Amino acid sequence: MDRAAAKQQLDLLKIEVPSWAYGNSGTRFKVFAQPGVPRDPFEKVSDAAVVARLTGAVNSVALHIPWDKVDDYEVLAKHAANEGIALGTINSNTFQDNDYMLGSICHPEGRVRRKAVDHLLECVAIMDQTGARDLKLWFADGTNYPGQDDIRARQDRLQAGLEEVYAQLGDQQRMVLEYKFFEPAFYTTDIPDWGVSYAHCLRLGPKAMVVVDTGHHAPGTNIEFIVAFLLRERKLGAFDFNSRFYADDDLIVGASDPFQLFRIMHEVVKADAINPANDVAFVLDQCHNIEPKIPGQIRSILNVQEAVAKALLVDQAALTAAQLAGDVLGANAILMDAYDTDVRPLLAEWRTERGLDPEPMKAYAASGYAQKIANERVGGSQAGWGA
Ligand code: PSV
Ligand code: MN
């Protein structure tokens, strides 16, 4: 595709940011608090809106319940609209209550399963108020020891819980089901991979779609294959973007392996799935433990845009011709030519033409916003991963 067409395609790409990225986060060893961190969902939304305004590629901010619970979601939605952003995906939380030690909707005890399903139904009720389309489900459920629980019975419980929530979804609502190969459970995880998520989604029906969290695979997994397969089956509902090095590190997307992100986005571009009409949601799922949060988010958006821009530049006609001719090296070279292109000037041009600063990172540094929030946000308690 030529540069002009690529710029038009980039207009379509919208990436949702997560409210939890703006709060303090860390490891089990230490959380390093940062100045100016939001103290409530309103301040998180304001920070997300800064990222939206500077990048021009963000429309919405994902909420996490109960961390972002408010008395009146209309008030929060109005605040968001005033800031120029919308409320997006509702993320459930069935992993931070003492009752969930042995799982949530897969728990052996009916009382705990009821509590977990009720929470998910509450999330659907919140979606009704905010107008959100997607309920994002990630379950920490699993076991640590052989024999601890019955693997198949847990699948039965999972299915029953999901079916109850699915039945509550409105016509325009979806559930997007995430998988993760380990952690916090280490022996079995109840939804460890895309296949298990896919099987449950298929059984549930068209409103259930798989989420690919780029950080939730074993090292060496070919994520672009999974993406291509799910796109072909029309069962890819959303991405959670981040990058991992060892485990589920929740680092900046494209930071450690930009080539992998390019390969993934190439499959997305080929399926025309950056077009919102095709209903694939692009969402960041990251935490910024040692880097400042708002610039961390901006950098993430730029990384995704760069990967997409490179993918758009692939000469698809030449690639197909080389593939059909069995020209292994030629095909590979065509893909690499696009990857090796420096797309930063193209993206700077795209921003300038749309009235944005060509360099969002510098624009943020010059904006004085970091100082402003550090001065203003004193007192109260800072939000953190878990609040
Ligand atoms: C935990 O691994 C996780 O990162 C999941 O990916 C969820 O999407 C996210 O937390 C927020 O619940
Ligand atoms: Mn995730």
Side-chain angles (χ1 to χ4, degrees), residues 91-359:
N91 288 254
S92 56
N93 184 327
T94 48
F95 47 90
Q96 279 187 316
D97 189 292
N98 279 338
D99 272 341
Y100 297 143
M101 191 173 77
L102 301 180
S104 62
I105 69 170
C106 305
H107 196 284
E109 203 185 315
R111 177 189 64 85
V112 179
R113 295 201 295 277
R114 185 70 256 150
K115 175 173 172 167
V117 172
D118 283 345
H119 166 69
L120 302 181
L121 295 174
E122 181 197 358
C123 288
V124 178
I126 293 172
M127 291 163 69
D128 293 338
Q129 294 170 56
T130 64
R133 179 188 58 180
D134 291 346
L135 171 65
K136 166 99 62 68
L137 302 176
W138 171 69
F139 295 104
D141 292 51
T143 64
N144 270 4
Y145 295 100
Q148 179 190 320
D149 199 359
D150 184 296
I151 293 172
R152 286 183 53 168
R154 291 183 74 92
Q155 288 297 313
D156 294 342
R157 299 169 200 149
L158 176 64
Q159 186 186 325
L162 291 175
E163 277 171 358
E164 191 175 338
V165 180
Y166 187 90
Q168 204 55 38
L169 294 173
D171 288 345
Q172 306 304 321
Q173 294 173 337
R174 312 188 300 178
M175 74 166 48
V176 288
L177 186 60
E178 201 170 331
Y179 57 91
K180 180 175 177 182
F181 75 123
F182 85 115
E183 195 209 21
F186 296 111
Y187 170 64
T188 59
T189 293
D190 293 313
I191 312 180
D193 55 37
W194 70 269
V196 174
S197 171
Y198 176 71
H200 280 283
C201 288
L202 264 190
R203 201 195 282 257
L204 286 162
K207 288 185 265 181
M209 307 280 278
V210 180
V211 179
V212 172
D213 181 312
T214 48
H216 287 185
H217 306 87
T221 302
N222 186 329
I223 300 174
E224 60 270 28
F225 175 85
I226 298 169
V227 167
F229 181 88
L230 291 174
L231 282 168
R232 183 173 177 277
E233 299 295 331
R234 302 201 169 279
K235 270 295 184 193
L236 179 61
F239 277 99
D240 265 8
F241 283 134
N242 51 47
S243 89
R244 63 180 288 284
F245 209 80
Y246 293 103
D248 180 23
D249 309 322
D250 284 339
L251 302 176
I252 289 174
V253 59
S256 54
D257 193 347
F259 184 44
Q260 180 188 59
L261 182 60
F262 161 77
R263 299 190 314 262
I264 292 170
M265 297 321 287
H266 181 232
E267 294 304 327
V268 171
V269 161
K270 275 198 302 182
D272 191 27
I274 57 169
N275 188 336
N278 284 320
D279 292 331
V280 178
F282 303 101
V283 189
L284 300 180
D285 175 19
Q286 298 180 177
C287 291
H288 303 288
N289 298 350
I290 58 168
E291 67 276 25
K293 291 148 201 315
I294 296 172
Q297 289 280 286
I298 297 172
R299 178 78 256 167
S300 310
I301 301 292
L302 305 192
N303 284 359
V304 177
Q305 284 185 309
E306 284 175 24
V308 169
K310 289 178 184 210
L312 289 167
L313 293 181
V314 173
D315 183 341
Q316 290 298 339
L319 182 60
T320 305
Q323 288 171 344
L324 293 176
D327 182 359
V328 175
L329 292 178
N332 179 245
I334 290 163
L335 200 71
M336 295 311 293
D337 271 349
Y339 177 66
D340 288 334
T341 308
D342 182 358
V343 292
R344 289 171 300 178
L346 175 91
L347 283 162
E349 218 173 275
W350 177 84
R351 292 185 190 107
T352 307
E353 287 168 4
R354 280 142 191 87
L356 299 164
D357 191 294
E359 295 193 64

